[in-house]
Amino acid sequence: MSAIIGHDAVISEFLTAMRGPRMHHAWLIAGPEGVGKAAAATALAKRMLCEAAGPELAGEGLDVPENHPIGRLVDAYTHPDFILLDRLPKDMKSLREVERRNWPADVERSRNINIEQVRALGGTFALTPSYSRSRIVLVDSIDDMERSAANALLKSLEEPPQGTIFLLISHAPGRLLPTIRSRCRLLRFETLDDTSMRVALRRCLPGIDETELSALIAAGQGSPGRALGYAGLDLAGLDAAFRAIARDGDTDNGLRAELAQSLGAKAAQRRYEAFLTRAPAFIADQARNHTGRALAIALDAWSAAHGLAESAVRQSLDPQMTVFALCGLVAGLAPEAKHVKA
């Protein structure tokens, strides 16, 4: 079973080019965050290096046998012809004896990919590839590059070393240097549909119940990565509370007070942050079902909720008061909202 879900068309496009007579040397792998671009790019690199070195692989997709010697080197980040540029851990000394594949997922990273990392490519480019005629440089992501590093990389894109393929991941390609974009072939990844989201999330969370799964799919908005960030936070409970408040107006302030108290504790920080994301999203979803004056009210509520949620963490607003205020905006969607206590 392929680990990549929902991107068959773009993967097929790359593989067709890879097996063609003249493959483009630079690919811009663009799309929203959390849709699987990095996983797909790594799988593409792995398949390409395996096919280039042999033995011949069966099948037309991305799957590589677990015992394939080249594939195992790529998995271990020890393949000399597979170069990954990403933000390095801030404390590299503590990880000096740790294999890269065993680095903690939550390790604190530097803010940018720096120019020294790009300059280090020069020594590699001076050598011929070790296992075949192919070499792959994967940048995850080029959005995180210092401007000086991006300019240094541009020189390699303008005069690519023989056999080198660049895979540049970008969440916001419009912000890149036009000179970089112009030298790349675009491979655009889209958000996943609900069916693909369900498959991806069940693979990562096999024990999840259907109610929470549906809540994660809604919150993820086509991005499994975003949805997984909400896992274990009882989004279904938050959504149920929003629906109850929007339906009845919470005229006695009971529901919003209960939420404010439960989300105000330090131990609830992650769920509070999820709440800040979900409240405006819930109002936006409700707006889609309204017309006329009700739509205008919902749009005003969304604008206010979006602004408040955006500033809540940045300005260190009191969590309980913020939750109470956001729930008040949700309550304003109720049919009898004029009776709701603000």
Side-chain angles (χ1 to χ4, degrees), residues 307-332:
L308 178 56
E310 284 279 303
S311 60
V313 175
R314 185 176 64 251
Q315 298 181 12
S316 299
L317 301 181
D318 179 77
Q320 290 196 30
M321 294 185 65
T322 302
V323 171
F324 198 88
L326 284 170
C327 286
L329 293 169
V330 174

Side-chain angles (χ1 to χ4, degrees), residues 74-305:
V74 174
D75 290 339
Y77 298 99
T78 56
H79 194 302
D81 303 328
F82 175 60
I83 304 162
L84 173 61
L85 292 186
D86 61 355
R87 293 181 297 119
L88 295 174
K90 286 187 174 181
D91 183 12
M92 281 298 296
K93 291 182 180 179
S94 65
L95 296 171
R96 188 169 296 167
E97 304 300 324
V98 180
E99 293 184 6
R100 182 184 178 110
R101 59 179 167 181
N102 295 327
W103 286 357
D106 59 351
V107 65
E108 188 177 4
R109 301 263 180 169
S110 300
R111 183 171 181 174
N112 298 109
I113 299 171
N114 60 53
I115 190 171
E116 286 77 17
Q117 291 174 262
V118 177
R119 285 174 175 166
L121 295 174
T124 301
F125 292 158
L127 305 173
T128 58
S130 300
Y131 288 96
S132 68
R133 293 180 295 176
S134 298
R135 175 188 291 123
I136 294 179
V137 177
L138 171 57
V139 182
D140 183 17
S141 71
I142 194 167
D143 307 321
D144 296 328
M145 271 195 170
E146 297 174 347
R147 176 57 69 97
S148 57
N151 283 325
L153 182 68
L154 177 59
K155 295 179 181 179
S156 295
L157 296 179
E158 291 173 335
E159 299 179 14
Q162 184 68 31
T164 299
I165 303 296
F166 294 88
L167 304 179
L168 312 179
I169 295 173
S170 176
H171 315 307
R175 299 178 185 175
L176 300 178
L177 293 172
T179 45
I180 286 181
R181 293 200 307 270
S182 68
R183 284 161 176 78
C184 296
R185 178 169 169 178
L186 179 64
L187 203 62
R188 180 169 292 282
F189 282 64
E190 304 293 347
T191 53
L192 274 61
D193 59 31
D194 285 358
T195 299
S196 297
M197 284 284 289
R198 188 173 298 276
V199 173
L201 293 177
R202 280 222 175 272
R203 180 177 294 181
C204 297
L205 305 168
I208 190 171
D209 66 73
E210 184 61 32
T211 301
E212 185 67 10
L213 177 61
S214 296
L216 290 180
I217 291 172
Q221 298 179 325
S223 168
R226 181 186 296 120
L228 288 170
Y230 296 131
L233 301 180
D234 187 23
L235 282 197
L238 289 180
D239 286 352
F242 289 143
R243 287 193 296 270
I245 293 171
R247 181 183 64 244
D248 301 325
D250 190 29
T251 55
D252 64 356
N253 294 339
L255 283 175
R256 69 183 91 174
E258 181 180 341
L259 270 178
Q261 184 174 6
S262 67
L263 295 175
K266 287 186 178 180
Q269 180 67 23
R270 286 187 62 236
R271 193 164 188 249
Y272 169 62
E273 292 173 358
F275 171 89
L276 293 177
T277 300
R278 289 300 298 148
F282 176 83
I283 295 173
D285 288 341
Q286 294 297 300
R288 296 186 181 97
N289 299 322
H290 293 312
T291 58
R293 177 168 171 72
L295 174 59
I297 291 172
L299 291 176
D300 287 343
W302 174 84
S303 180

